[in-house]
Amino acid sequence: MKVFINPGHDIKYDSGAVHYDADGNVDLRECDVAAKIGTAVQKYLEAAGCECYLMQSDNLAPTSAGRSDYDDRQGITVTETANEWGADIFVSIHCNASSGNARGTETECYSKTGDGGGLARFIQSQLIDSIDTGDRGVKEMPELLVLRYTDMPAVLVETAFIDNDDDMLLLVQHWDDIARAIARGVTDYVQSIF
């Protein structure tokens, strides 16, 4: 099974959502959390016999045409790479953000009735069973580029709300539990289709 792992955002160009400390300084960035979890997911899936390809979302510089073109392009570049590689499964890893009050974990897919919906349910179930998080469920998000333009079952995992103090602690203290849960969700899905 070939699994494409896409940690969201980029260290140099688009760090994604952030958490601020008491002094108003950024003390945790989505890109760093996603990279750490994604690397561990790769390790666990390779140990389970999967072939993995890991690509951070924005591994290219912004174009001179502007941010919106860059945002669209990076999502398409990731999906083109996954499609050309011949991935069987696509997993994008992110941290959610809101007003600082929202908590929980959700897994997004193109359609709940498709194969991506099945993959999302397995991953969401493992996450809810593994960490102290709120179950925000599986959500359809067909407008997301990484779900719309992938040829294989694809999900985007919103691990926790990085701007919520309690969820931030989950991301810092239980990132490995999150990675193991995502990997188990993938292997559960694989077993379900064979």
Side-chain angles (χ1 to χ4, degrees):
M1 189 62 57
K2 297 174 74 173
V3 183
F4 192 97
I5 303 164
N6 168 232
H9 300 282
D10 181 78
I11 292 165
K12 286 176 77 173
Y13 302 111
D14 174 18
S15 65
V18 297
H19 182 271
Y20 294 97
D21 65 17
D23 296 324
N25 300 310
V26 173
D27 61 352
L28 190 65
R29 302 185 312 165
E30 180 178 4
C31 62
D32 301 322
V33 173
K36 192 171 191 176
I37 292 171
T39 301
V41 170
Q42 178 181 12
K43 177 182 77 170
Y44 293 128
L45 287 175
E46 287 176 347
C50 295
E51 183 180 352
C52 294
Y53 190 120
L54 185 127
M55 181 179 181
Q56 191 102 18
S57 281
D58 313 346
N59 285 344
L60 55 146
T63 65
S64 59
R67 283 298 301 169
S68 65
D69 289 346
Y70 165 63
D71 292 340
D72 290 346
R73 183 69 201 144
Q74 61 87 15
I76 292 171
T77 299
V78 168
T79 58
E80 284 174 347
T81 303
N83 293 339
E84 289 169 8
W85 184 59
D88 299 303
I89 292 171
F90 181 99
V91 179
S92 191
I93 300 168
H94 289 260
C95 302
N96 223 334
S98 182
S99 61
N101 295 321
R103 286 200 70 198
T105 298
E106 65 189 55
T107 306
E108 299 165 353
C109 59
Y110 185 83
S111 168
K112 289 182 185 181
T113 60
D115 290 334
L119 174 61
R121 284 188 294 279
F122 280 111
I123 291 173
Q124 183 72 9
S125 176
Q126 283 290 345
L127 284 164
I128 298 308
D129 290 346
S130 299
I131 58 174
D132 182 21
T133 186
D135 185 357
R136 294 174 59 87
V138 171
K139 296 186 177 177
E140 290 184 348
M141 300 290 280
E143 69 277 8
L144 296 177
L145 296 177
V146 294
L147 302 179
R148 185 189 316 163
Y149 294 116
T150 42
D151 294 338
M152 70 292 303
V155 297
L156 188 147
V157 182
E158 294 281 11
T159 55
F161 280 82
I162 197 169
D163 62 345
N164 176 284
D165 291 340
D166 293 326
D167 268 19
M168 182 273 295
L169 288 176
L170 281 177
L171 295 169
V172 171
Q173 297 172 355
H174 297 283
W175 63 269
D176 190 62
D177 296 325
I178 293 168
R180 288 175 187 266
I182 292 170
R184 281 194 308 271
V186 170
T187 57
D188 288 350
Y189 170 76
V190 170
Q191 290 176 352
S192 78
I193 61 175
F194 287 111

